[in-house]
Amino acid sequence: MGLLDSFEKGLERAVNGAFAKTFRSGIQPVEIASALRRELDTKAAVVSRDRILAPNAFEVRLSPDDDARMHALGTSLTGELDKLVHAHARAQGYTFAAPLAITLTADPQVSAGTLRVTSSTAASADRVAWRPVVDINGTRHPLTKARTVIGRGSDADITIADPGTSRRHVEILWDGERAMVRDLGSTNGSRLDGRPFTEAPLAPDSTVRIGRTDIVFHVVAQPRAPRTQTFDTGRERP
């Protein structure tokens, strides 16, 4: 099974089988995936014998109607796109200069059924704004403070409806570059990538499990002044 086939099946699962009903017309999610994959291959550059650098920041520009349909999926679509890009980069041996960032944007100048992709390679700190986030039950939560408490209590910074968690279960500490995760004396304990912990460094893309809830930590990059290239699907405009 190819990456695009895997993407489409994964996306169908993510939106509870609504894929065919929601996207009968206009741009298809799999076309976005194909455009991102093509953008990776087109813009990847050999920088040394052992390193091929690929763009890490993508903006997908859609017609307002297509953008509204895509955003109706919430984080399901962007999550699947992120997985696809990472999987294709691994398969091709590409590396990123900074964490991956994919955004969908409405553009009235783009016709329904077409899309344009702009990409950039954020290679230095002065061109990147770093932002820690956690994905919990399909929702992305930016971590805007140096200390973020997660638990089922109303006094937690991020509240989750899981009876297997404590009111203040874990906290994530962020110093602007690195993250730590600490169990706050919870009743049932916590696991980091499957292993129990009390306090541990928190690497990007790690998963913290509390109760029955998975907390996936990411560090995403926001380019400040990207160079852009455009790509059109080539479909006929109405």
Side-chain angles (χ1 to χ4, degrees):
M1 179 182 297
L3 285 175
L4 291 181
D5 293 335
S6 299
F7 164 78
E8 189 167 358
K9 290 185 179 298
L11 182 62
E12 286 184 285
R13 290 194 297 270
V15 298
N16 299 320
F19 177 82
K21 296 178 182 178
T22 305
F23 301 107
R24 288 174 179 168
S25 61
I27 205 72
Q28 299 289 324
V30 71
E31 290 180 277
I32 299 177
S34 179
L36 289 171
R37 188 172 69 165
R38 178 169 173 173
E39 185 77 2
L40 274 174
D41 293 339
T42 301
K43 303 302 188 304
V46 177
V47 295
S48 69
R49 186 179 63 180
D50 302 317
R51 191 182 187 201
I52 304 175
L53 188 65
N56 61 279
F58 299 86
E59 181 183 26
V60 181
R61 295 160 56 198
L62 306 164
S63 73
D65 287 344
D66 284 333
D67 180 72
R69 281 191 288 270
M70 296 304 153
H71 274 91
L73 291 176
T75 59
S76 299
L77 175 61
T78 52
E80 292 299 321
L81 292 173
D82 186 275
K83 291 177 185 177
L84 173 76
V85 171
H86 274 106
H88 186 64
R90 285 195 300 270
Q92 300 300 319
Y94 300 155
T95 60
F96 299 123
L100 187 64
I102 301 172
T103 58
L104 306 182
T105 304
D107 185 345
Q109 296 185 359
V110 176
S111 300
T114 67
L115 63 86
R116 293 181 181 176
V117 174
T118 62
S119 67
S120 65
T121 300
S124 60
D126 62 342
R127 291 176 57 192
V128 177
W130 301 93
R131 182 181 67 172
V133 300
V134 290
D135 291 338
I136 305 174
N137 296 327
T139 300
R140 174 155 290 186
H141 302 268
L143 303 184
T144 58
K145 302 191 300 184
R147 179 176 181 265
T148 302
V149 175
I150 304 174
R152 105 185 123 75
S154 59
D155 58 339
D157 297 303
I158 300 175
T159 302
I160 56 176
D162 184 340
T165 64
S166 298
R167 295 182 60 82
R168 295 168 62 87
H169 199 111
V170 295
E171 66 178 1
I172 295 177
L173 309 175
W174 172 255
D175 67 1
E177 295 182 0
R178 296 172 297 274
M180 294 281 295
V181 61
R182 180 183 299 154
D183 185 278
L184 297 175
S186 65
T187 301
N188 296 324
S190 308
R191 290 180 173 270
L192 175 60
D193 292 333
R195 297 184 178 181
F197 73 93
T198 300
E199 180 176 315
L202 186 60
D205 304 324
S206 296
T207 299
V208 177
R209 187 171 182 83
I210 61 176
R212 297 182 178 179
T213 300
D214 286 336
I215 303 167
V216 184
F217 174 76
H218 302 290
V219 178
V220 298
Q222 295 179 312
R224 291 172 179 165
R227 297 177 182 176
T228 61
Q229 299 284 343
T230 61
F231 168 78
D232 197 297
T233 60
R235 292 171 54 165
E236 291 187 4
R237 297 176 185 267

